[in-house]
Amino acid sequence: MGIALQTGSSRAEARLLSSILIIALCLTLAPVVRLFFEGVTDQGRPSLDLMRDVLAQPSTLSALKHSIVTAGLGTVVSLVLGAAFAFLVALTDLRAKAALVFCLMIPMMIPPQITALSWIQIMGPSSVLLKTLGIAPPLGSPQPLYSPEGIILLLGIQHMSIIFLTLRAGLRSIPQDVVEAARISGARGLRTWWQVVLPLTLPSLAAGTAITFVTALGNFGIPAMLGIPAGYSTLPTLVYQKLAGMGTTVLAEVSVLAMLIGAVAVTGILLQRHFQGRQKLHLVGSTSRPLALPLGAARLPVEIALWAVVFAILVLPMFGLLAASLVPAYGVPLRLDTLTLDKWHEVLFRQPVTTRAFANSFGLAAGAALALMLICLPLAWLMERRRTRLARLFDSLLDLPYALPGVVLSIAMILLLINLPFTDATLYGTIWIIFLAYMGRFFAVMFRPVQASLKLLDPAMDEAAQSVGASLRRRLRDVILPLSAPAAAAGAILVFLTAFNELTVSALLWSSGTETLGVVIFNLNDSGEAGMASALAMAIVLVVMALMGLVQLLSHRFPKGVVPWQT
């Protein structure tokens, strides 16, 4: 009887695993395969003619050069800022570390188009903040951010949190004993850092650098806000301009551009893995005390310098954004007699597109988080129990849709869903294509925390429930779900925070009635309504910070390491 029950349960698990894996593969890898097929075929026949033609166009070569330059130099800026903060926060006895780490996470949670808009409002001849202070450049002066240098600067600031997080994780694993042993051997000051600390953190530094480069390469909001007015195109903005100007008639052409972006991104990831694989330094045993170097008399000056940088890259742009939203017209100084909430009232309560965008963004983000939780919980558990060949293949390729730039996934989704198989229906132009793109894009964000949590569970609990006749559904509901719920909840919150303000994916997929918040801000600024764009952006920043505060309040219920800004 027991053997029969186990056999029946095993068959049910196999069927459920196959069913969920098919859904997961359709969401994550099928669009990428469809994109590749479009780029290497001509009317269904293998052909590289289109690819050669597109890659030979001057606009493609120029955009490729611009993308590599801005992403590469932006990564250097991120590396300098993020590494400096990581070394000081992780290795020294700074005070108020939790507050500092929380502030450093905010730029990563704020959408790139809001970052660009906030910096536009504090620089240039029409800056409300500069006019209020009486130091604005004369009218007619160029906006300095509408340039490659402006894009590089803001890409560096936007993504410095990635370097900071990955490097800090590596630094916190270095035990105090290692440095003490080096000191006993005669190492002092910078020599300790150069010969002991830095070699041990090179893998983390390489990983963070590669992820930052790939993220900067696929960034759409900052190059669009700063590059399009200057006639400076990167690959993501070139794809957007071609689709916006000629619609779906250029799908084959932009699919080649999307493949080019993906190829550069994958090259960055492969280089990171190559150098990380050659790293031969390892820590033996577990860490004891975390490394904590006393700064002594330099502690206060270092703290002042770090908080000054936080003020310059976070607080000051937000002040500029707020000031621009409180004046009746762009460029008017902010005084008591000019202060008004008309822009806030107009954009939040009178513009139907804003209400619709809030509803769309909230529904898409919450729906994607919930649907991914329902898929990833049983999938992660079944993959842990049954390591089939298909499951191993999916596990190794799962991170690809998230690693690829969002514009690549957008083009892939359009190609996959513009004509549904065996029907005349299409999802292009509907909100469902954005929803499915979000699910494919953020699948790994939900799956990985759940997978890590389930690896720590004792399988004896599930086996005990199975031995007394509990069905597969009941074991999932009564055993697996309660034990993995904290990790799933944390993953859902991260998916929601990321998707709520997303622009790179939805910029190519939206249509009238399916606008998201990121799209509305971009369109408002593009149409000259900088005041309303600033008011909406400021409202979104407040929502993001409130959500981050909620995560902080609930962080004690989540598995360790899930909340990224926790020290």
Side-chain angles (χ1 to χ4, degrees), residues 274-347:
H274 169 72
F275 288 116
Q276 189 170 352
R278 295 182 63 180
Q279 176 59 243
K280 301 301 182 184
L281 292 173
H282 303 282
L283 293 174
V284 179
S286 60
T287 61
S288 53
R289 292 173 292 156
L291 194 57
L293 304 177
L295 290 174
R299 184 166 70 170
L300 182 59
V302 169
E303 289 174 341
I304 292 173
L306 293 183
W307 283 107
V309 173
V310 170
F311 180 83
I313 67 175
L314 178 62
V315 180
L316 191 59
M318 291 301 107
F319 276 156
L321 200 63
L322 181 61
S325 70
L326 295 176
V327 294
Y330 187 47
V332 175
L334 179 63
R335 301 188 302 264
L336 286 178
D337 61 315
T338 61
L339 191 148
T340 176
L341 293 175
D342 289 348
K343 301 295 185 184
W344 286 75
H345 183 263
E346 176 70 22
V347 77

Side-chain angles (χ1 to χ4, degrees), residues 354-503:
T354 306
T355 305
R356 190 164 61 241
F358 262 107
N360 288 341
S361 290
F362 186 88
L364 287 167
L370 178 61
L372 287 174
M373 185 188 299
L374 294 176
I375 293 173
C376 291
L377 267 173
L379 179 61
W381 176 67
L382 290 168
M383 285 177 58
E384 190 64 23
R385 285 178 58 87
R386 308 179 67 86
R387 301 293 295 174
T388 64
R389 184 177 301 177
L390 183 60
R392 290 195 298 270
L393 176 65
F394 174 75
D395 193 27
S396 63
L397 297 177
L398 172 61
D399 296 314
L400 183 61
Y402 190 69
L404 289 174
V407 67
V408 177
L409 186 63
S410 297
I411 300 300
M413 280 292 181
I414 294 173
L415 290 168
L416 185 68
L417 301 175
I418 193 169
N419 290 311
L420 295 180
F422 312 113
T423 71
D424 295 328
T426 179
L427 292 184
Y428 183 64
T430 71
I431 202 167
W432 295 108
I433 192 172
I434 304 177
F435 178 72
L436 293 174
Y438 280 6
M439 290 187 66
R441 175 73 168 163
F442 304 119
F443 200 104
V445 178
M446 171 65 71
F447 184 83
R448 292 306 184 195
V450 174
Q451 184 185 46
S453 174
L454 288 173
K455 285 182 179 295
L456 302 177
L457 295 183
D458 187 352
M461 291 181 284
D462 177 64
E463 293 169 357
Q466 184 178 358
S467 67
V468 295
S471 65
L472 175 60
R473 179 183 298 179
R474 186 168 182 182
R475 283 152 48 211
L476 282 169
R477 184 190 65 194
D478 295 343
V479 179
I480 303 304
L481 178 59
L483 294 174
S484 57
I493 291 173
L494 291 177
V495 169
F496 182 88
L497 278 171
T498 310
F500 184 69
N501 298 305
E502 195 280 331
L503 173 65

Side-chain angles (χ1 to χ4, degrees), residues 512-530:
S512 180
T514 66
E515 302 92 341
T516 61
L517 288 170
V519 168
V520 171
I521 291 174
F522 179 75
N523 289 343
L524 282 172
N525 186 73
D526 193 47
S527 61
E529 296 290 350

Side-chain angles (χ1 to χ4, degrees), residues 30-50:
V32 180
V33 174
R34 178 65 182 87
L35 175 68
F36 179 79
F37 178 80
E38 184 71 20
V40 299
T41 60
D42 182 14
Q43 297 181 350
R45 297 188 301 272
S47 174
L48 297 179
D49 293 341
L50 176 64

